[in-house]
Amino acid sequence: MPRDNWFVRLLGTRIFFRIFLMTAVMVTFALTVGAYFSLSLFSEKMEQKGTENIRNILEQTNKLIDSRMDMLLRISNLILNDPAIGELASERLLQDERDKERMSGAIGKYIDSDPGIVSVFLLNKERGLFIPSDDFRSDADNAEETKRRYLSFSNNRYSKGLTWIPTHRIDYSSERHADENVLKLTREVFDSAVSAYRGTVVVNIAEESVYKYLKNVDVPTGTIFHVIDKNGIVISGTERSGVGKFEYSYTYMQAVLQKEGSFVRDYRGIPYLFVFNKLESVDWVIIGAIPVSELVSDRDRIMRGLAVILLLVLGASLVGSLGIAYSISLPIKRLAAVMRKVRSGFFDVKAEIRSRDEVGMLGESFNEMIVRTNELLHRLQESHHKEKNAEIRALQAQINPHFLYNTLASVVWLAENRDFDKITDLVSKLGRYYRQSLSRGMDIVTVRHELEHIGNYLAIEQIRYGTKFAYDISVEPAVYAHKCLKLLLQPLVENAVHHGIMNKEGNGWIRVDGWKDADDIVLRVIDNGGGIAQERLDEINGCFRSGRSLELPHSYGIKNVNERLQLVYGPAYGLFYSSEQGVGTTVLIRFPARYE
């Protein structure tokens, strides 16, 4: 049968879903198309407006900085053309300290006229002329080194030009401007009338006088301003860590080379709009970098508003349809939640479905199924419990004949040696041993009872082997009253005697002790016998921890003990072996501390 297409399947759905779906599609389509075209137009206009605003702000800042630099150039011209400075700089004068004081005063008036001028130096290396303004500390340790460095600025005589030296830390011991950033303007004092070089003027200008025009501009958050010279050195900028350093960004170098214009580039992982202009008075470029996201923040706000309107309109048109869908889907969801719990193993639940429709009938049928399942599980649990008890009893029954066989072998051995007193003692202890083994049919006994039981066992074995081994039983009295499975220690002690002590030369010893460890009881059997090979030891512990069957010679008794412990108390309990060949073996028995 051919598969229906999506439109046919849609027509075959309930009427409420068709109304709900068609309304949602129509409203969503109309609002989406309208919002898309409106937003596209608005976004374009906003970007144009933002770019234009930033360019206007940059042009204003450009003019302010240009005007500032032009003012400093004018002041430097006044210094160059000052008759008093020219006369004092001539070779006829500056022969005594009085002339130098007059020169310092002539320079000082220009410093006082402009707060952006930090200091002025008049220099002539050939004549050794070094006239600083008052900010220079002549008593500083590095005064002579500073003098030599500044006199080097007068090497290019007769150039009649000016030089801008990029921003740097103030490079002399200053009275009032220590550690400030300055930039230098150097110019030659040249007497054109007599074609004579008089000296060089060095003006230290505070970088703050440029920075103040950048930091107070009202621009979007994240905007960065830089003033960069033709060599890529940052003269001033809003990112203070880069001032005076080379700007390595390729984007900035593009702006420096183009000198005027704008473009959008990825910078620091996000799009930035770069707008830049060249200053007229100096060969610098002022660059403004604005995150594009800030330029379109108004657009984003409008978009969020449109989204809210879209959601409100959709919500109003869908509420009715959603109410119908909810009334149908809620009972199904409740039934599905109950089914998930049942699948996870929780059968004490019930589907609360109050509706009288098909879903309600399904819920009632499901509840009836849960009731029948619970009855079957209860029967299965009872059967499993009985099976578990029968298995424990069978394991215990297997241990008793095992010990009886070994004990009768000892009696035969004594009879062959005609040691009738030891036979009498052995049979007497054997009787007590089996009375304790029977323990009036109880499978659970006290630790004290179990210790008395192995005491009789070890006494019987010692009658048989004489001085071949000694034994000691020293368990904490606080453990005596706790309950444990019957016949836990006897198979372990038997192994210690027959497979430990008997496999070593000379005499040996066996120690049984025990203590309480948090909520558990730990009994320990230690011997100094021949020990267990590492490969076999790993196999024993591996089988006990994984629950696999242990199939090794002489392992019958310990296997039964471990299985009984895990059947009753769980896989976390059982036997834990450690051994070293030629040294001995230690086995721990761990089970919960219980009084009943």
Side-chain angles (χ1 to χ4, degrees), residues 366-377:
F366 183 74
N367 288 335
E368 292 176 2
M369 183 191 71
I370 292 176
V371 171
R372 289 197 297 271
T373 302
N374 277 327
E375 291 176 355
L376 291 173
L377 285 175

Side-chain angles (χ1 to χ4, degrees), residues 12 74 136 214 256 329 331 369 396 402 406 444 452 458 486 519-520 528:
R74 290 176 183 273
F136 176 75
L214 303 177
V256 171
S329 63
M369 183 191 71
Q396 290 179 338
H402 185 64
N406 290 329
I444 303 296
E452 291 174 353
L458 287 171
K486 184 170 62 177
D519 294 330
D520 293 342
N528 67 338

